[in-house]
Amino acid sequence: MKTFVKNSKRLGGLLSLGLVLTGLCCTVQSCKEADAATEVPEGEFGNHPRSTVPDELVGYWIAGVSSISNFWGYDGVYKGPANEIAVGYMFYKDGRAKEYFYYTSTSTYCRTQVLGYKEGTVKVDPANKKLEMFYASGNYRSFNSCGSSNPPGFGETKKYTAAELYPNKKMTLKNWTIKESNGKKVLEVPLGEGEVQRYVKSTEPQQ
């Protein structure tokens, strides 16, 4: 369980997922929502910084961690909630970008799930191996249930607020490299302390 917590925190920190979980907290605990961001029409990626994306980075990349095996121990005793976190990025040649986010947690008979989606632009510095994504718009849905009980707002689509978009938030990957493993392309990003986050090139999911 400690290993998963460490890995999930690293993934969360690298990918700025804390904000999404904060949104989840607001949904579950009915905390006061921040002022709504200026809305950007669906499909408009904003006018933030962008650059041409190198061919090797164009496409969809996904990474994730899971603690499913830690839900119940081999002795049959409950060990704590199972968790899954996954995030994917779609980079287009012209500098447009999308982010897909998935989080789920299961604790005894309660289950929490968040599905997030953002659009924006990306700026890549190939020489210094630095990539920045500037969020322009997006939305998320949260599902929180215990047994047959669903709270108000269950499954409703909500827009991200200004606090969760650029210039308040952006995603940065530094010192990345692209390698090939088992016939698949892998985007590797160092996390520090000798650890590496790996994004596997895959197919963009359907919304």
Side-chain angles (χ1 to χ4, degrees):
M1 188 68 177
K2 290 183 179 179
T3 300
F4 169 73
V5 171
K6 182 178 180 181
N7 290 339
S8 62
K9 283 183 178 179
R10 288 183 175 280
L11 179 63
L14 176 66
L15 304 172
S16 303
L17 300 184
L19 198 0
V20 180
L21 296 181
T22 300
L24 170 62
C25 171
C26 291
T27 302
V28 174
Q29 300 180 10
S30 299
C31 66
K32 186 177 180 179
E33 293 186 29
D35 293 335
T38 301
E39 292 189 5
V40 178
E42 191 72 20
E44 185 174 323
F45 293 80
N47 297 313
H48 302 315
R50 72 163 71 187
S51 68
T52 299
V53 176
D55 290 339
E56 62 178 353
L57 278 174
V58 172
Y60 182 70
W61 305 86
I62 185 170
V65 291
S66 173
S67 73
I68 290 299
S69 61
N70 294 329
F71 189 41
W72 295 94
Y74 287 108
D75 56 2
V77 177
Y78 177 69
K79 301 297 184 180
N83 297 270
E84 291 178 85
I85 297 176
V87 65
Y89 295 102
M90 180 69 196
F91 302 130
Y92 295 91
K93 185 69 178 177
D94 62 3
R96 291 174 299 136
K98 298 177 182 177
E99 178 187 273
Y100 295 86
F101 171 77
Y102 172 78
Y103 169 80
T104 182
S105 175
T106 302
S107 178
T108 56
Y109 61 92
C110 293
R111 181 174 176 81
T112 297
Q113 186 178 42
V114 176
L115 305 173
Y117 172 77
K118 290 181 179 179
E119 293 182 344
T121 57
V122 64
K123 183 178 180 181
V124 182
D125 180 350
N128 294 307
K129 299 296 183 181
K130 182 178 180 180
L131 181 153
E132 297 173 284
M133 180 175 176
F134 306 90
Y135 303 120
S137 64
N139 58 68
Y140 67 94
R141 288 184 295 159
S142 62
F143 305 84
N144 180 51
S145 61
C146 289
S148 59
S149 175
N150 296 329
F154 179 86
E156 291 181 3
T157 297
K158 299 182 179 180
K159 288 188 175 295
Y160 283 109
T161 64
E164 296 151 330
L165 305 173
Y166 185 76
N168 294 304
K169 292 291 179 180
K170 70 176 181 179
M171 181 276 292
T172 303
L173 301 180
K174 295 181 179 180
N175 300 317
W176 50 267
T177 57
I178 295 179
K179 300 180 179 180
E180 190 156 332
S181 177
N182 298 321
K184 295 183 178 181
K185 290 191 178 297
V186 179
L187 174 64
E188 293 190 351
V189 182
L191 302 179
E193 298 182 10
E195 296 192 35
V196 176
Q197 181 62 60
R198 294 177 174 84
Y199 301 81
V200 178
K201 195 163 191 181
S202 185
T203 303
E204 183 182 10
Q206 298 298 312
Q207 290 193 66

